[in-house]
Amino acid sequence: MEENIIEIENLHFAYAKKHEHKDAMVLQNISFSAKAGERIGLIGANGVGKSTLLKIFVGLLEAEDIGKVRLCGLDLNKKNLRELRRRIGYVFQDSDSQLFMADIYSDVAFAARNCGYSEQEVQKRVTQALAQVHLENLAKRQIYRLSGGQKKLAAIAGILTLTPQLVLMDEPSAALDPKNRRHLINILRSLPCAQLIASHDLDFIYAACDRVILLHDGQIAADGTVKDVLRNQELLEACNLELPLMFQKAD
Amino acid sequence: MHMADALLSSAVAGGMYACSLVAAGYALRKVQQERNDKILPVMGVMGAFVFAVQMLNFTIPGTGSSGHLCGGMLLAAVVGPYAAFLTMIGVLLIQCLLFADGGLLALGANIWNMAFYGCFVGGGVIWALAMRSGMTRTKIIIASVLGSVLSLQLGAFSVSVETLLSGITQLPFAAFLPFMQPIHLAIGLVEGAITAAVLVFLFAARPSLLWCAEESESASSVSLKNVLTIMGAAAVVLAGGLSLLASELPDGLEWSLERMTGSTELESADSSVYALSEAVQSVTALLPDYNFAGSESAAGTSFAGVVGAVIVMLLILAGGKVLKSFRGNHEQA
Amino acid sequence: MNRLERAISAIHVLDELAGRNTLVNKLHPLAKLGAVLCFILTVLSFDKYALSGVVAMGIYPVFLYQLADLSLCEGIKRFRTVAFLLIGLGLANVYFDTAVLLNIGGIAVSGGWVSLFVLLLKGLWSFLAVYFLIATTGMEQICYALQLLHLPKVMSVVLLLTYRYLILLLQEGSRMSAAYALRAPYSKGIAFNAWGTLVGQLLLRSIDRAQTVYESMALRGFDGTFYLQRAADGKGALAFVLPSLGFCLVFRLLPVFAILGSLL
């Protein structure tokens, strides 16, 4: 049987507080697994630990002894970090911080060049990645001239060059207009890799994902198909969320 | 305070490049010693920050006029003098390329005048010394004002010296200096006040951001001795470069050099070229009536030369226009 | 338009120019950098009275602008601010240096005026040359050329990041000062009591952004080097550099037009 892309047992995490009063536990008892190619929405109210979880996965938050975390066939530890980051793509909420090169091409090529691919191979991968997000005509465009939607797509292209097995996204639909949102959903649906999308935009999650994990108070409050979880008004409201707009009854 | 290319002779420009390179090499070694990848994006983003802040207008209380910030000292108080100096080099280079503030050749001088003093003297010495035994609001204010005033005074002084050594202006040193220093005292006070205001804000909002030498004693503390050594070395480099290229210096300096060395053998290869072309010209002058009277250097003597050059430029311009319209038609067809 | 917005639009224009596809744009950046530096050095090395020599040097930038299809007027317009500074210093010469140097049809011209004019021209030519460089090359390619000249990695990373975040922070600064101006309509600039908070906030945000930039770089395998796209090739570089050097050498050493005139 093929190994799961995500395999987490009993993950717990607390920020180390500099001014020691009490360790605030952000995440506890998190256990779930995901198969290759699965599209999972990670939902929850603001400050519930969605981004924290994503950052732990790629080692942006240093965490020792946090439970068993196995991603893309590797245990999460310092030794594996470089290889893990190759296999996992991470899309930041703020595209402007993620895209730090001057134009799209050099930014998308950044990871591939750092991995030591030949310039020919880099070019092939960049072209392919740009085609996947439909930006092939803008390769030479300066980043600051892009719209918010284009920046998001460029940021996604930047991680696709390494053909990741798992893509983590932090609030990808923030600050997108409806048309760009729709466009992004279609593109995400067309990507073959597994995706874990943190968002509180439930309509977006409903359209882009098949499965939902609902976080509340640092724990998993629900884990199921989008239909089961996102139509459950009681559950959502208990977790400080509201029904997706499309299910709310017009008054 | 940006110096333009035209204000510097090649010799002084080169000398200042050498000085700034020495300081940059030193700063680079220090930054690399820390082996901290995290500092790179901070330097880059802060460079852009300095850039943006330089363009803000600050109203000066009681005067109705507005002042600006240069930012060297402010930067040094946040990222430390070495990283700040390298960042400022980046800022000045981009400024000279994109906005034509200062020129490509004057860059060495501008780095020295505007970045070195602010970062090393203001940040590396004054700030570091003041914060040695802990930070307080008062100390931050005093250090900011003192550091800014001092670095701008030194900067203004360097500008005067460089201009005069370049022989661009006949303004006597004794007249130039009393003009430059008081103006830059005012500018320095404004710079100091803004720097102090920002640093006091940071001290209240996120004190951990402020740089102090103690934390990383081994790698990044600057001693007064080090700064003086760099400045001394720079002076030697500059003096050496100048004397090598003495033939380009204005007559006065050359004359005094002659007096000092007791010889008149300060000629360079150039003078023989001058002599040759002068000879060619005296024979061939087209419009003798319009010649420059009493000019020593042959390169600047022919009125015909000026006319001829202007004609050629106009021809090139016209040629370009014709070619362009031809190309335009071609594309339309 | 305030300074921030002017700066933003200036960068826009330069990016557009650098992104064109002219013959000169395609030249190797190192060739252009070298030629321009050599040209400026030559211009600056002229004596302060060397009017005809300095005027003749102008042929080079004028020619380059035609070659690159750049607007000379635009370049001269941008020269304005520098010109004021130069005139200011040059006028001192007019005052101090009154010895008659030149006689044009009975009108005596003092050395001061000649040197003022030479100073202005030197400024203009070197300015035009730098503008030519950036407008046909672009920041990233210049950085690449500097890397070839062994610019330390640290510096090229800092340069590129500064350039990248320049517009973003200029826009942020512009928004902040606009928001400030809306609430303080009678103030010409930022009043004293807001200096610390306004700039301080911008600084905090910049530092936070740098943190995210670092994370993004680390996640994509940053190892201290920015690998830049290589310049097209060295083709044509020599064909550009050699005539440039030749021009500088000939026009620096010989009064070309005087000689030409004598041949006629």
Side-chain angles (χ1 to χ4, degrees):
Chain A
M1 201 189 93
E2 207 178 332
E3 191 179 7
N4 283 333
I5 275 285
I6 303 177
E7 191 74 61
I8 302 178
E9 264 171 51
N10 219 350
L11 180 146
H12 50 92
F13 177 79
Y15 282 100
K17 282 270 160 64
K18 268 193 182 158
H19 309 287
E20 208 78 42
H21 38 100
K22 196 180 152 201
D23 277 359
M25 205 50 123
V26 179
L27 295 169
Q28 45 193 326
N29 289 330
I30 307 280
S31 307
F32 69 96
S33 60
K35 289 195 260 312
E38 243 186 310
R39 279 181 266 273
I40 306 170
L42 188 61
I43 62 173
N46 281 331
V48 80
K50 304 187 294 283
S51 306
T52 306
L53 187 59
L54 295 192
K55 286 194 172 180
I56 291 174
F57 281 6
V58 282
L60 285 181
L61 286 174
E62 281 199 34
E64 280 165 28
D65 189 27
I66 53 167
K68 190 190 159 208
V69 180
R70 197 170 164 81
L71 302 162
C72 305
L74 291 169
D75 284 324
L76 175 64
N77 57 32
K78 272 223 166 90
K79 203 178 83 226
N80 286 337
L81 203 53
R82 258 193 112 76
E83 184 55 33
L84 259 178
R85 288 177 172 179
R86 247 182 108 139
R87 298 186 189 180
I88 303 176
Y90 188 100
V91 181
F92 286 78
Q93 177 172 0
D94 174 17
S95 316
D96 265 318
S97 300
Q98 174 159 11
L99 305 167
F100 47 79
M101 297 297 273
D103 61 50
I104 292 192
Y105 187 95
S106 25
D107 199 276
V108 174
F110 187 82
R113 280 181 179 146
N114 280 335
C115 283
Y117 289 115
S118 70
E119 197 56 28
Q120 223 174 356
E121 176 70 17
V122 169
Q123 195 175 358
K124 204 183 99 197
R125 283 171 176 264
V126 172
T127 318
Q128 198 184 356
L130 286 176
Q132 276 176 292
V133 299
H134 307 297
L135 282 183
E136 48 276 71
N137 296 325
L138 296 180
K140 278 286 149 200
R141 186 68 64 91
Q142 301 285 317
I143 299 285
Y144 68 84
R145 317 201 82 162
L146 302 178
S147 69
Q150 288 167 334
K151 278 181 195 165
K152 184 59 72 189
L153 295 180
I156 294 174
I159 56 150
L160 290 181
T161 46
L162 296 185
T163 45
Q165 300 167 19
L166 171 65
V167 172
L168 311 175
M169 282 185 234
D170 198 354
E171 299 288 355
S173 69
L176 292 188
D177 63 30
K179 194 175 160 217
N180 276 314
R181 214 159 144 271
R182 187 77 241 154
H183 189 50
L184 179 62
I185 291 169
N186 290 338
I187 285 172
L188 293 182
R189 283 257 164 214
S190 71
L191 297 179
C193 48
Q195 294 160 34
L196 185 60
I197 304 176
S199 178
H200 45 64
D201 177 353
L202 301 189
D203 292 84
F204 180 83
I205 294 295
Y206 191 85
C209 303
D210 310 314
R211 175 179 160 196
V212 165
I213 293 174
L214 171 58
L215 289 183
H216 184 58
D217 272 349
Q219 307 197 29
I220 294 183
D223 182 350
T225 64
V226 281
K227 280 192 184 119
D228 289 344
V229 178
L230 294 182
R231 282 169 185 263
N232 188 341
Q233 186 165 9
E234 237 169 88
L235 175 67
L236 290 176
E237 277 172 7
C239 301
N240 297 328
L241 292 168
E242 288 180 352
L243 269 184
L245 281 174
M246 63 179 105
F247 303 135
Q248 287 181 17
K249 285 178 196 122
D251 293 321
Chain B
M1 200 156 104
H2 285 99
M3 291 187 86
D5 275 344
L7 288 178
L8 292 172
S9 72
S10 315
V12 176
M16 292 317 293
Y17 252 111
C19 298
S20 295
L21 275 180
V22 172
Y26 180 68
L28 192 70
R29 227 188 54 209
K30 287 288 189 179
V31 168
Q32 280 169 342
Q33 265 173 15
E34 301 211 354
R35 292 182 179 285
N36 179 6
D37 272 352
K38 269 188 188 176
I39 194 74
L40 287 178
V42 172
M43 286 163 74
V45 178
M46 288 307 278
F49 162 81
V50 166
F51 226 114
V53 171
Q54 283 183 350
M55 303 218 164
L56 293 174
N57 282 327
F58 297 92
T59 314
I60 301 165
T63 62
S65 60
S66 59
H68 299 280
L69 184 71
C70 176
M73 163 128 194
L74 174 63
L75 203 54
V78 177
V79 298
Y82 306 113
F85 185 62
L86 297 180
T87 309
M88 288 301 284
I89 292 179
V91 170
L92 289 168
L93 175 58
I94 291 179
Q95 239 160 17
C96 119
L97 287 172
L98 291 186
F99 301 106
D101 281 333
L104 214 47
L105 276 211
L107 184 64
N110 282 325
I111 290 173
W112 187 264
N113 304 338
M114 299 174 68
F116 177 80
Y117 295 122
C119 298
F120 280 82
V121 177
V125 176
I126 306 260
W127 176 267
L129 282 181
M131 303 308 150
R132 181 155 287 177
S133 52
M135 278 180 210
T136 63
R137 224 177 104 98
T138 326
K139 275 205 246 172
I140 291 177
I141 295 172
I142 294 175
S144 304
V145 174
L146 201 65
S148 300
V149 167
L150 191 61
S151 39
L152 269 133
Q153 285 298 304
L154 287 167
F157 183 75
S158 303
V159 170
S160 313
V161 172
E162 288 151 16
T163 314
L164 289 154
L165 282 180
S166 298
I168 298 301
T169 173
Q170 247 103 18
L171 203 64
F173 198 60
F176 199 28
L177 220 50
F179 172 75
M180 287 290 279
Q181 302 305 128
I183 288 186
H184 283 90
L185 178 63
I187 298 177
L189 284 172
V190 174
E191 167 109 17
I194 302 174
T195 307
V198 178
L199 291 178
V200 164
F201 170 84
L202 278 188
F203 183 59
R206 228 194 280 176
S208 62
L209 276 185
L210 293 175
W211 176 80
C212 66
E214 291 168 309
E215 297 172 5
S216 37
E217 193 69 55
S218 56
S220 66
S221 75
V222 194
S223 68
L224 186 60
K225 206 178 79 192
N226 286 352
V227 173
L228 288 179
T229 313
I230 298 180
M231 285 170 71
V236 171
V237 170
L238 190 59
L242 283 177
S243 55
L244 273 178
L245 291 147
S247 63
E248 287 195 1
L249 295 182
D251 299 357
L253 198 52
E254 195 166 323
W255 179 76
S256 54
L257 278 176
E258 274 170 31
R259 290 253 317 245
M260 265 161 33
T261 56
S263 93
T264 51
E265 298 294 308
L266 270 167
E267 283 175 40
S268 75
D270 274 3
S271 1
S272 55
V273 177
Y274 283 152
L276 173 76
S277 54
E278 201 171 5
V280 172
Q281 209 165 21
S282 61
V283 181
T284 61
L286 186 65
L287 298 161
D289 279 342
Y290 292 127
N291 264 1
F292 292 64
S295 161
E296 292 295 318
S297 73
T301 46
S302 157
F303 188 70
V306 176
V307 176
V310 172
I311 292 177
V312 170
M313 282 187 242
L314 290 177
L315 281 177
I316 294 174
L317 272 176
K321 282 267 180 318
V322 170
L323 211 69
K324 204 171 160 186
S325 65
F326 176 75
R327 219 183 285 156
N329 289 338
H330 201 70
E331 272 163 22
Q332 271 170 19
Chain C
M1 219 166 29
N2 62 28
R3 296 175 60 186
L4 289 151
E5 279 157 23
R6 265 204 306 275
I8 294 171
S9 72
I11 299 177
H12 274 277
V13 170
L14 283 176
D15 270 340
E16 230 157 68
L17 287 172
R20 294 178 313 163
N21 214 4
T22 73
L23 221 60
V24 191
N25 282 55
K26 278 184 267 180
L27 273 175
H28 196 282
L30 197 54
K32 282 182 273 188
L33 182 67
V36 161
L37 275 178
C38 163
F39 170 75
I40 299 176
L41 258 172
T42 313
V43 168
L44 295 194
S45 73
F46 274 98
D47 184 80
K48 64 181 167 188
Y49 295 136
L51 188 57
S52 62
V54 172
V55 171
M57 289 307 286
I59 291 174
Y60 184 70
V62 169
F63 178 72
L64 284 187
Y65 274 56
Q66 297 310 307
L67 200 65
D69 197 14
L70 285 172
S71 156
L72 256 184
C73 294
E74 186 56 39
I76 294 171
K77 229 191 277 169
R78 289 172 135 248
F79 176 62
R80 268 176 321 190
T81 26
V82 189
F84 284 126
L85 177 72
L86 296 179
I87 290 174
L89 267 169
L91 279 178
N93 289 1
V94 175
Y95 180 76
F96 284 101
D97 181 3
T98 50
V100 173
L101 193 71
L102 174 69
N103 210 329
I104 305 176
I107 303 167
V109 180
S110 72
W113 283 107
V114 174
S115 68
L116 167 62
F117 202 62
V118 167
L119 182 62
L120 259 181
L121 280 181
K122 279 185 180 179
L124 179 61
W125 299 153
S126 41
F127 177 89
L128 287 178
V130 173
Y131 184 67
F132 163 81
L133 176 68
I134 185 75
T136 61
T137 315
M139 203 53 216
E140 197 181 319
Q141 285 293 296
I142 290 183
C143 229
Y144 175 71
L146 290 174
Q147 271 188 356
L148 292 182
L149 294 175
H150 298 288
L151 178 79
K153 286 176 194 172
V154 175
M155 280 314 294
S156 77
V157 172
V158 169
L159 265 178
L160 286 170
L161 283 180
T162 301
Y163 180 64
R164 162 71 181 96
Y165 287 104
L166 191 54
I167 290 248
L168 220 62
L169 282 169
L170 285 174
Q171 283 169 341
E172 214 155 306
S174 176
R175 276 195 298 274
M176 280 172 76
S177 56
Y180 182 84
L182 285 176
R183 288 187 293 161
Y186 300 110
S187 165
K188 254 172 60 183
I190 298 152
F192 177 73
N193 54 11
W195 287 359
T197 29
L198 202 121
V199 178
Q201 292 285 6
L202 189 61
L203 194 146
L204 285 183
R205 260 184 267 165
S206 307
I207 292 266
D208 289 342
R209 182 182 293 280
Q211 173 65 28
T212 320
V213 171
Y214 172 72
E215 291 176 350
S216 166
M217 285 160 64
L219 289 188
R220 288 194 275 158
F222 178 66
D223 62 353
T225 316
F226 272 9
Y227 298 95
L228 296 180
Q229 193 157 20
R230 288 226 223 107
D233 50 19
K235 226 188 288 169
L238 276 184
F240 177 73
V241 171
L242 287 182
S244 301
L245 294 186
F247 174 88
C248 291
L249 215 60
V250 169
F251 278 76
R252 176 65 186 92
L253 298 180
L254 300 173
V256 175
F257 287 99
I259 297 174
L260 278 181
S262 71
L263 294 179
L264 287 175

